[in-house]
Amino acid sequence: MSIQADIIEQIEKFKTIIIHRHEDPDPDAFGSQAGLAEVIRNCFPDKNVYQVGENNASLEWITTEDKIDDKVYDGALVIVIDTANTPRIDDQRYKKGAFLIKIDHHPNDDAYGDLTWVKTDASSSSELIIDLVNNSNGKLVLNKKAAEALYAGIIGDTGRFMFNNTSAHTLRVTAQLFEFGIDAAWMNRKLDEITPGIAKLSAYVWDNMTITEHHAAYIVLKHDLIKNYKLGAAGTAPIVSVLGKIDTVKCWTLFVQEEDGTYRLNIRSKGPIINGLAKEYGGGGHPLASGAKMDTLTDEQLKEYVAKLDKIAATYTGEDND
């Protein structure tokens, strides 16, 4: 029996299903979570299906979350999607259920769960949900609402098909979603839109970013600066790609100071493998898109980090990295 069949068997078995995803959610976290929830609701209307975690005002066009009591977890199936490791799971009550499933496309460095389905060559967790449906022998089916959420997730993690994680399979399953009459153009525009605050902060980043000798780039955004632009820490998400728009930049890091003084590191690349660097700082992720956290960021710590990032850029041969 395949892992997909095992997952579907558990979905069929449980009356209550609670779906979690990672903190600081992006479109794929919301899209895969909401897409799976809607598929289950559509096919099993007698089940109680919840999706939990903090809401994100900028992504409420994809979905909004449920607020549930601890007692709902009693005897429940918990599915955690799009989350590589347990510290990043939004709402740590995920451990309170009767059975735990992990579905993800990040490297499986933390193989938690009673069932674990990880496929790192998938473009997104949303793509995996479509695969789950397609391999269910008709037990799961898509509808328009699920298709909309899953499309948002796919275009989020592929950069509207600009990133090299876009495969022929990605485009085939995306084509399925179009058959439901989704407004793909509207969703593409939603992901491309920025607020006036983001536009001004983008200009600040381009004016103040540093590019190293070997074409790595970085900038540190302090919490007080972000407040001036009326953005929460999560509101800086559209800024992550800004540094990489410079044609000579190979890899880059956006340091975002949180309200508690710690730093969130958004590490990205056009080719050099950077997830090893993320792991050095307690994080991880994809070869070309990773994240990490630092409790402090002294001048010496910044200098040490940037030297490592620059070395990665310096040793890059220009070969494709999938």
Side-chain angles (χ1 to χ4, degrees):
M1 194 156 85
S2 69
I3 185 66
Q4 292 100 322
D6 290 338
I7 291 170
I8 293 165
E9 181 181 9
Q10 296 302 321
I11 290 172
E12 290 179 307
K13 183 192 300 185
F14 283 86
K15 175 75 172 179
T16 298
I17 300 170
I18 305 168
I19 307 174
H20 290 242
R21 41 79 186 152
H22 63 75
E23 60 186 4
D24 299 324
D26 56 10
D28 187 39
F30 274 134
S32 59
Q33 180 194 38
L36 177 58
E38 183 56 32
V39 164
I40 298 172
R41 292 184 187 112
N42 181 45
C43 299
F44 302 99
D46 59 324
K47 294 186 183 295
N48 301 311
V49 183
Y50 304 97
Q51 44 191 88
V52 300
E54 291 299 318
N55 281 305
N56 183 320
S58 67
L59 294 175
E60 286 183 350
W61 58 275
I62 300 176
T63 193
T64 55
E65 305 292 59
D66 301 310
K67 301 297 183 185
I68 61 174
D69 294 330
D70 289 357
K71 64 183 179 182
V72 179
Y73 284 85
D74 294 342
L77 170 64
V78 176
I79 302 174
V80 179
I81 196 160
D82 198 43
T83 311
N85 49 57
T86 54
R88 287 210 69 208
I89 299 173
D90 194 346
D91 195 330
Q92 289 290 303
R93 293 181 296 172
Y94 75 92
K95 295 174 279 193
K96 293 180 176 291
F99 197 90
L100 178 63
I101 297 175
K102 174 185 181 181
I103 301 175
D104 193 23
H105 70 124
H106 299 93
N108 195 26
D109 296 327
D110 184 357
Y112 60 86
D114 300 298
L115 274 180
T116 300
W117 180 32
V118 174
K119 195 168 184 288
T120 57
D121 61 349
S123 71
S124 55
S125 291
S126 294
E127 181 177 311
L128 289 180
I129 298 308
I130 304 171
D131 288 340
L132 183 67
V133 170
N134 289 343
N135 289 284
S136 70
N137 293 319
K139 293 180 178 179
L140 301 178
V141 294
L142 295 169
N143 62 7
K144 184 176 181 180
K145 189 173 180 179
E148 290 169 338
L150 295 169
Y151 181 78
I154 289 174
I155 61 173
D157 260 24
T158 63
R160 299 190 303 283
F161 309 112
M162 289 191 297
F163 301 158
N164 71 347
N165 60 348
T166 305
S167 67
H169 180 69
T170 305
L171 297 177
R172 281 193 292 268
V173 298
T174 302
Q176 284 183 248
L177 306 179
F178 276 72
E179 294 173 1
F180 290 91
I182 64 173
D183 193 343
W186 179 83
M187 284 187 275
N188 288 335
R189 288 194 300 272
K190 288 296 291 183
L191 279 189
D192 194 47
E193 287 175 352
I194 59 174
T195 64
I198 289 293
K200 292 175 182 177
L201 184 55
S202 298
Y204 174 89
V205 168
W206 279 318
D207 271 347
N208 293 277
M209 63 188 283
T210 298
I211 301 176
T212 67
E213 178 184 358
H214 299 106
H215 306 289
Y218 69 94
I219 191 168
V220 178
L221 299 181
K222 294 292 186 75
H223 181 66
D224 286 345
L225 174 73
I226 296 168
K227 282 178 62 177
N228 288 340
Y229 290 95
K230 295 181 171 56
L231 302 171
T236 60
I239 301 297
V240 176
S241 62
V242 165
L243 293 83
K245 292 184 183 293
I246 305 297
D247 59 355
T248 57
V249 169
K250 298 178 184 178
C251 54
W252 64 98
T253 299
L254 176 72
F255 296 84
V256 177
Q257 187 182 38
E258 307 276 17
E259 190 172 0
D260 64 1
T262 61
Y263 287 83
R264 177 160 43 88
L265 281 60
N266 301 277
I267 314 168
R268 299 292 186 269
S269 174
K270 296 176 185 174
I273 301 298
I274 45 78
N275 58 348
L277 178 60
K279 289 177 184 178
E280 283 190 50
Y281 289 85
H286 300 293
L288 306 186
S290 292
K293 287 189 175 182
M294 296 175 67
D295 291 334
T296 60
L297 186 63
T298 64
D299 290 345
E300 189 60 35
Q301 287 174 314
L302 180 61
K303 182 179 178 181
E304 179 183 291
Y305 177 92
V306 171
K308 293 176 181 178
L309 186 67
D310 184 62
K311 184 177 180 180
I312 291 171
T315 55
Y316 176 56
T317 64
E319 298 173 352
D320 276 343
N321 292 302
D322 297 324

